């Protein structure tokens, strides 16, 4: 059941979300709208961007408000969260968004997802990795309590290149944003060489719990990107969380 309600985040800005997820929504709003974590370059007004890990739509809303003529290809696998994403696009009168209810991976398959209704942005295809990450969070922290409610949801997973093949006259991809809670490498490995060649910028949030950081960085560099690594200011010191910011080498 989708329990989304309209939540006022800032003056003149509201979104639909689970009221119990307000802490996470406010965090994501600050990260994207205030700290501008995805403003890594000036993008063309008519940019084509990819939102891998759409959640309730904050990245897409931000980019569409900044670049109204842009086209965004977005993916969110959890049905309740995808429904909220769609409601937020309608709420803000956003067009030019190609949204798909599925996850992204290196092969086309079906997988079980751990869905956190009160922290939907933390929902993951790799539940064991998330449990390991939570060991770095104090058990009395509000996040620990919000993460206690969880559901198992079966979701479709498809290769990103399968969707890009269906985009007519695709010339360039200004930005590939990947924030998919442990499946980042899977998303990148679902790209064909012909599509890698079209991408100008990539931002990937990755937790290096199983060596994905080194592999993802090498994959980006092998496809012609210069990669800069940043540590999110919110990440606990013992948690190996990184932002990979990759720009195509000139």
């Amino acid at each position: 059941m989708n329990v989304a309600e309209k939540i006022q985040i800032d003056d003149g800005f509201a979104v639909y979300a689970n009221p119990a997820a307000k802490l996470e929504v406010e965090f994501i709003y600050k990260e994207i709208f205030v700290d501008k974590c995805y403003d890594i370059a000036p993008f063309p007004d008519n940019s084509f961007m990819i939102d891998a890990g759409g959640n309730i739509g904050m990245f897409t809303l931000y980019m569409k408000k900044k670049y109204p003529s842009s086209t965004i290809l977005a993916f969110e696998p959890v049905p309740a969260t995808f429904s909220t994403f769609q409601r937020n696009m309608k709420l803000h009168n956003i067009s030019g968004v190609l949204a798909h209810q599925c996850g992204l991976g290196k092969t086309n398959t079906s997988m079980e997802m751990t869905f956190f209704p009160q922290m939907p942005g933390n929902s993951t295809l790799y539940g064991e990795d998330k449990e390991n990450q939570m060991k770095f969070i104090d058990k009395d922290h509000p996040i620990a309590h919000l993460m206690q409610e969880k559901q198992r949801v079966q979701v479709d997973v498809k290769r990103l290149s399968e969707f890009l093949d269906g985009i007519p006259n695709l010339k360039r991809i200004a930005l590939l944003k990947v924030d998919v809670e442990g499946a980042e490498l899977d998303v990148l490995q679902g790209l064909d060489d012909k599509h890698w060649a079209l991408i100008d910028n990539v931002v990937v949030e990755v937790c290096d719990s199983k060596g994905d950081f080194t592999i993802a960085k090498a994959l980006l560099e092998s496809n012609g990107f210069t990669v800069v690594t940043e540590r999110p200011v919110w990440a606990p010191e013992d948690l190996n969380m990184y932002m990979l910011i990759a720009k195509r080498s000139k």
Side-chain angles (χ1 to χ4, degrees), residues 26-44:
E26 290 175 337
F27 171 83
I28 296 173
Y29 176 83
K30 181 179 183 299
E31 190 177 37
I32 296 176
F33 285 78
V34 179
D35 299 338
K36 303 183 185 302
C37 65
Y38 293 110
D39 283 8
I40 64 166
F43 302 116

Side-chain angles (χ1 to χ4, degrees), residues 5 10 33-34 42 66-67 80 101 106 116 124 135 139 144-145 167 170 182 203 216 221 225 238 245:
E5 298 177 7
D10 202 352
F33 285 78
V34 179
K66 188 167 185 179
Y67 305 100
Q101 185 184 302
K106 54 188 173 183
F116 301 97
T124 178
K135 293 176 182 177
K139 62 181 177 60
H145 292 289
I167 304 296
L170 181 60
V203 178
E221 290 173 341
F225 293 90
D238 295 334
I245 300 170

Side-chain angles (χ1 to χ4, degrees), residues 137-153:
I137 305 295
D138 189 288
K139 62 181 177 60
D140 293 323
H141 193 283
I143 289 177
H145 292 289
L146 293 170
M147 296 280 282
Q148 287 178 357
E149 181 187 356
K150 58 186 177 182
Q151 302 170 12
R152 307 293 185 187
V153 182

Side-chain angles (χ1 to χ4, degrees), residues 99-118:
H100 297 274
Q101 185 184 302
C102 75
L104 294 173
K106 54 188 173 183
T107 59
N108 293 343
T109 186
S110 177
M111 295 180 69
E112 184 180 81
M113 187 160 216
T114 304
F115 169 49
F116 301 97
Q118 299 181 72

Side-chain angles (χ1 to χ4, degrees), residues 51 54-62 85 88-89:
D51 184 358
N55 193 18
I56 65 168
M58 299 291 259
F59 168 86
T60 293
L61 287 175
Y62 177 76
F85 179 102
N88 283 324
M89 296 305 114

Side-chain angles (χ1 to χ4, degrees), residues 16-248:
Y16 284 107
N18 181 345
K22 187 176 182 182
L23 179 67
E24 181 183 77
V25 174
E26 290 175 337
F27 171 83
I28 296 173
Y29 176 83
K30 181 179 183 299
E31 190 177 37
I32 296 176
F33 285 78
V34 179
D35 299 338
K36 303 183 185 302
C37 65
Y38 293 110
D39 283 8
I40 64 166
F43 302 116
D45 290 340
N46 63 343
S47 289
F48 184 92
M49 302 183 186
I50 300 169
D51 184 358
N55 193 18
I56 65 168
M58 299 291 259
F59 168 86
T60 293
L61 287 175
Y62 177 76
M63 287 302 180
K64 285 297 297 184
K65 286 180 179 294
K66 188 167 185 179
Y67 305 100
S69 299
S70 65
T71 299
I72 299 184
L73 179 63
F75 300 89
E76 171 52 49
V78 177
T81 312
F82 181 78
S83 175
T84 304
F85 179 102
Q86 296 285 60
R87 291 182 73 185
N88 283 324
M89 296 305 114
K90 186 175 181 180
L91 175 65
H92 290 269
N93 298 311
I94 299 296
S95 60
V97 176
L98 310 172
H100 297 274
Q101 185 184 302
C102 75
L104 294 173
K106 54 188 173 183
T107 59
N108 293 343
T109 186
S110 177
M111 295 180 69
E112 184 180 81
M113 187 160 216
T114 304
F115 169 49
F116 301 97
Q118 299 181 72
M119 294 281 286
N122 278 268
S123 301
T124 178
L125 291 170
Y126 294 97
E128 186 175 336
D129 291 347
K130 182 63 67 173
E131 290 177 8
N132 289 333
Q133 291 176 28
M134 290 306 297
K135 293 176 182 177
F136 296 95
I137 305 295
D138 189 288
K139 62 181 177 60
D140 293 323
H141 193 283
I143 289 177
H145 292 289
L146 293 170
M147 296 280 282
Q148 287 178 357
E149 181 187 356
K150 58 186 177 182
Q151 302 170 12
R152 307 293 185 187
V153 182
Q154 202 70 21
V155 301
D156 290 330
V157 175
K158 297 181 180 179
R159 299 182 73 248
L160 177 52
S161 275
E162 190 167 292
F163 293 93
L164 295 177
D165 279 336
I167 304 296
N169 303 313
L170 181 60
K171 300 290 193 299
R172 302 300 304 170
I173 299 169
L175 176 63
L176 167 59
K177 166 259 187 183
V178 186
D179 185 0
V180 289
E181 303 303 313
E184 291 78 17
L185 190 57
D186 294 349
V187 174
L188 299 180
Q189 291 174 335
L191 277 166
D192 294 335
D193 289 345
K194 63 183 178 182
H195 294 132
W196 271 116
L198 301 180
I199 302 172
D200 293 322
N201 300 279
V202 184
V203 178
V204 184
E205 181 181 289
V206 59
C207 183
D208 194 29
S209 60
K210 52 184 188 289
D212 285 1
F213 169 82
T214 301
I215 300 171
K217 185 172 183 288
L219 180 59
L220 289 164
E221 290 173 341
S222 71
N223 279 284
F225 293 90
T226 299
V227 182
V228 174
T229 303
E230 294 184 359
R231 283 267 298 159
V233 295
W234 51 263
E237 186 175 336
D238 295 334
L239 183 62
N240 295 325
M241 185 70 70
Y242 302 96
M243 295 285 284
L244 296 177
I245 300 170
K247 299 182 180 183
R248 182 159 296 284

